[in-house]
Amino acid sequence: MAADAVPHTPRSLRTSLAMRCAAVMLIVGMVAAAALLWALNHHNQQLAQQGQQAIARSVAQTLASQTARAIRLGIPLQKLQGVETYLQQTMDSTPQLAYLALTDTKDQPLQAVSRGKALPLIKLPVVVRGQTVAMIHAGAASTKTQGLLMPALVCMGAVLLMAFMTGWCIHAWPASRLQRRHELLLSALHQGQTLPVQEGQASDALQAALQALAMRQQRNLQAQQAVADYAAELHAVDFDQKMRQSIDEIAQATIKNGANQ
């Protein structure tokens, strides 16, 4: 009875398939999340820079207009009073800016204020009667974007959840179905019987493959039995038993070679 028992199929097949699918989903999800976070960071930097440029342009246009008005009144550019104080007050009231300067047409600073290292943003001319008489420069500190820690944690949690759900779904349905088909195949091959055709369990191609494997196993068993029967007949006519060992060796080698094919 023990020899006829259906061989046990380890559950590693079902679990391995589910874990592989979950790992693929995890890798793909992590790559997609990394690309999404990079795009989000790049987009935030562009928005922040555009906002700084808009503010810097507005401030520079105001300074250029006021400087041009003073020059039109006949005040020489080098003798403008209170420019540095005005620039400092303007920058203090505009935290997005880190550098403001009034320069000549060769970009030589006449009056300038700054706080820390600044990146140049805007350079506008001061135009009087159609001629450029000075330049207004405005800069900002390095662009600071919104922290991505929380979006990164959300993306990581979503990816892990998707990977877990994928593995669970594969384990519960497709992998379970494959496990049953595997057990059915092992049972048929072990017993040397053809598989019963059950509609809805597998595709025609899979069913045909299982049938072919079972039929081949059955033919192998029949061939082995035929070799054993023929050897028994030879033993029956070997009256002096001198060929018994040779017959047994030939029969065993034939059965072994047939099993390995």
Side-chain angles (χ1 to χ4, degrees):
M1 295 296 292
D4 296 334
V6 177
H8 175 69
T9 303
R11 290 295 174 183
S12 59
L13 175 65
R14 181 180 180 184
T15 303
S16 176
L17 180 60
M19 291 183 64
R20 288 173 183 268
C21 293
V24 171
M25 176 60 68
L26 182 62
I27 294 173
V28 173
M30 286 299 182
V31 172
L36 178 61
L37 290 175
W38 178 86
L40 180 61
N41 182 64
H42 183 67
H43 179 68
N44 288 343
Q45 287 183 342
Q46 286 186 330
L47 289 180
Q49 188 173 10
Q50 290 175 0
Q52 287 180 334
Q53 286 180 340
I55 294 174
R57 181 175 296 277
S58 176
V59 171
Q61 286 176 344
T62 301
L63 292 176
S65 176
Q66 292 177 343
T67 303
R69 184 182 301 113
I71 295 175
R72 282 196 298 267
L73 293 176
I75 304 175
L77 184 62
Q78 291 76 8
K79 294 184 179 181
L80 289 175
Q81 299 295 321
V83 175
E84 184 175 356
T85 302
Y86 179 76
L87 294 178
Q88 185 64 54
Q89 291 176 349
T90 302
M91 193 173 65
D92 291 341
S93 62
T94 312
Q96 294 84 356
L97 298 181
Y99 176 75
L100 282 174
L102 172 65
T103 69
D104 58 19
T105 55
K106 296 181 180 180
D107 294 334
Q108 294 300 318
L110 300 175
Q111 300 290 342
V113 292
S114 64
R115 50 186 171 198
K117 187 177 180 180
L119 301 176
L121 288 179
I122 296 296
K123 177 181 177 182
L124 293 181
V126 178
V127 180
V128 177
R129 299 181 182 92
Q131 293 183 351
T132 299
V133 296
M135 302 295 297
I136 300 295
H137 295 258
S142 58
T143 304
K144 294 183 180 180
T145 58
Q146 183 180 3
L148 296 179
L149 178 60
M150 185 57 66
L153 292 177
V154 172
C155 288
M156 185 178 298
V159 169
L160 290 175
L161 179 61
M162 289 178 61
F164 173 78
M165 292 302 298
T166 299
W168 182 80
C169 291
I170 295 294
H171 187 273
W173 287 289
S176 177
R177 185 176 180 180
L178 180 62
Q179 183 76 38
R180 290 195 298 269
R181 298 304 301 168
H182 187 224
E183 292 175 352
L184 184 60
L185 173 61
L186 291 180
S187 176
L189 294 177
H190 180 72
Q191 297 176 6
Q193 300 176 352
T194 59
L195 291 175
V197 178
Q198 298 182 5
E199 295 182 359
Q201 281 194 344
S203 64
D204 294 339
L206 178 59
Q207 190 63 246
L210 295 176
Q211 288 283 4
L213 288 174
M215 292 178 65
R216 181 175 179 179
Q217 177 70 9
Q218 187 175 13
R219 286 197 299 268
N220 288 339
L221 293 176
Q222 291 174 352
Q224 292 176 10
Q225 185 62 42
V227 172
D229 293 343
Y230 187 68
E233 292 180 3
L234 293 178
H235 285 312
V237 299
D238 183 20
F239 299 105
D240 57 1
Q241 302 295 315
K242 292 182 178 181
M243 298 179 60
R244 184 178 186 85
Q245 183 176 357
S246 298
I247 294 172
D248 290 341
E249 291 177 354
I250 293 173
Q252 292 177 1
T254 303
I255 293 174
K256 182 178 180 179
N257 292 335
N260 291 334
Q261 292 180 353

